[in-house]
């Protein structure tokens, strides 16, 4: 049971470089989310998707783009990385009902130099 | 305005002590859900419990118990007879029925250190 898998687990980028974080879930969940975790601030929602082909902005979307071409995958892109985007990124997925908990991946630690 | 507040940023206890982690939330929805997640030093987020706004019954699971009080907008978490393995960051989170996408709003977390 893989659950939610994030790739890669660690990455170091230089300012201005681009990269894509991949999230895959095998639970047939409709909803998927990308969060960032910074010290003392809990997790903040970047973007989310309520189904294949849909995306929406969360609390802190600037500097990121997302795509959900397949139900099981949710990609997070940084077009031009900035040091302020140094963070731990978590992907999550859930069933449609609000009562259902979100299941999280193990996180991606990203450093921008 | 912050919707979920965990006022205790860090708590340190000695093993076998009881400890309560506070969570205060703010919402205008009548239907909402509250969650607790645990983040051990290894970094993953582990779901602990969910409560809906219509169920104020307290819950006990082993050494863990949760006290949900709508009158004070609080959802506190108590660990009885703490153990070193309980050392982690604990997050309280809120999901509001009226908000699209069932987004979670997290508190800032409480770091619990249990010393042997």
């Amino acid at each position: 049971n893989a659950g939610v898998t994030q790739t890669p687990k660690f990455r170091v980028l230089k300012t201005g470089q681009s990269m894509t974080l991949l999230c895959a879930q095998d639970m047939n969940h409709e909803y998927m989310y990308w969060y960032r975790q910074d010290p003392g601030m809990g997790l903040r929602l970047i973007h989310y998707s309520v189904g294949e082909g849909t995306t929406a902005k969360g609390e802190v979307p600037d500097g990121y783009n997302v795509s959900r071409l397949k139900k099981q995958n949710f990609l997070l892109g940084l077009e031009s990385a900035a040091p302020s985007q140094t963070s731990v990124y978590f992907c999550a997925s859930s069933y449609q009902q609000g009562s259902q908990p979100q299941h999280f991946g193990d996180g991606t630690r990203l450093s921008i130099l | 305005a912050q919707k979920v507040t965990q006022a205790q940023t860090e708590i340190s206890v000695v093993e076998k002590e009881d400890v309560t982690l506070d969570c205060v939330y703010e919402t205008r929805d009548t239907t909402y859900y509250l969650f607790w997640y645990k983040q051990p030093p290894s970094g993953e987020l582990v779901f602990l419990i969910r409560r809906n706004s219509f169920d104020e019954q307290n819950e006990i699971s082993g050494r863990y118990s949760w006290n949900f009080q709508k009158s004070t907008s609080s959802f506190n978490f108590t660990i009885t007879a703490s153990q070193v393995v309980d050392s982690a960051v604990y997050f309280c989170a809120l999901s509001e029925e009226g908000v699209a996408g069932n987004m979670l709003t997290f508190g800032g977390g409480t770091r619990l250190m249990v010393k042997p």
Side-chain angles (χ1 to χ4, degrees), chain B:
Chain B
Q2 191 169 6
K3 290 189 173 183
V4 180
T5 303
Q6 296 180 251
Q8 307 148 307
T9 54
E10 202 167 288
I11 301 175
S12 181
V13 299
V14 176
E15 208 170 17
K16 298 184 182 177
E17 284 185 16
D18 299 346
V19 58
T20 296
L21 310 182
D22 298 332
C23 173
V24 174
Y25 62 93
E26 177 186 330
T27 180
R28 293 181 180 178
D29 273 359
T30 55
T31 303
Y32 54 90
Y33 308 94
L34 295 162
F35 302 83
W36 276 95
Y37 283 85
K38 174 182 180 180
Q39 187 176 40
S42 49
E44 72 274 21
L45 282 153
V46 179
F47 165 70
L48 294 178
I49 191 171
R50 172 197 66 231
R51 253 300 169 259
N52 72 55
S53 52
F54 298 107
D55 182 3
E56 285 194 75
Q57 243 184 345
N58 292 331
E59 182 156 339
I60 299 175
S61 176
R63 297 184 296 107
Y64 294 173
S65 61
W66 291 268
N67 183 344
F68 175 32
Q69 292 196 343
K70 288 178 73 170
S71 61
T72 56
S73 297
S74 64
F75 186 41
N76 297 337
F77 173 29
T78 297
I79 302 174
T80 303
S82 60
Q83 299 177 2
V84 173
V85 293
D86 296 326
S87 297
V89 180
Y90 291 87
F91 292 98
C92 180
L94 166 72
S95 171
E96 297 163 288
E97 188 80 358
V99 175
N102 301 330
M103 289 176 285
L104 282 176
T105 300
F106 283 84
T110 297
R111 181 179 299 277
L112 174 64
M113 293 177 290
V114 182
K115 299 177 181 178

Side-chain angles (χ1 to χ4, degrees), chain A residues 2-6 23-35 45 47-51 68 71-74 90-106, chain B residues 35 37 45 47 101-102 104 106:
Chain A
V4 179
T5 303
Q6 291 184 230
C23 176
Q25 53 96 3
D26 61 2
M27 296 173 282
N28 202 34
H29 285 165
E30 284 293 331
Y31 290 6
M32 295 187 75
Y33 311 83
W34 275 107
Y35 294 88
L45 184 66
H47 286 280
Y48 67 98
S49 167
V50 298
R68 185 132 179 240
K71 185 177 183 178
Q72 63 267 34
N73 295 337
F74 195 28
F90 285 95
C91 176
S93 69
S94 74
Y95 289 112
Q96 199 168 355
Q97 295 82 0
S99 60
Q100 296 304 307
Q102 292 182 15
H103 297 263
F104 286 82
D106 289 343
Chain B
F35 302 83
Y37 283 85
L45 282 153
F47 165 70
N102 301 330
L104 282 176
F106 283 84

Side-chain angles (χ1 to χ4, degrees), chain A residues 9-69:
Chain A
K9 296 193 184 308
F10 305 94
R11 187 72 184 267
V12 178
L13 292 178
K14 294 182 180 179
T15 298
Q17 286 185 319
S18 64
M19 80 160 295
T20 300
L21 306 184
L22 171 63
C23 176
Q25 53 96 3
D26 61 2
M27 296 173 282
N28 202 34
H29 285 165
E30 284 293 331
Y31 290 6
M32 295 187 75
Y33 311 83
W34 275 107
Y35 294 88
R36 60 178 288 172
Q37 182 180 20
D38 301 298
M41 300 188 72
L43 279 76
R44 293 182 293 166
L45 184 66
I46 304 171
H47 286 280
Y48 67 98
S49 167
V50 298
E52 181 179 318
T54 75
T55 63
K57 294 180 180 180
E59 182 185 354
V60 288
D62 294 341
Y64 305 95
N65 57 74
V66 287
S67 65
R68 185 132 179 240
L69 299 179

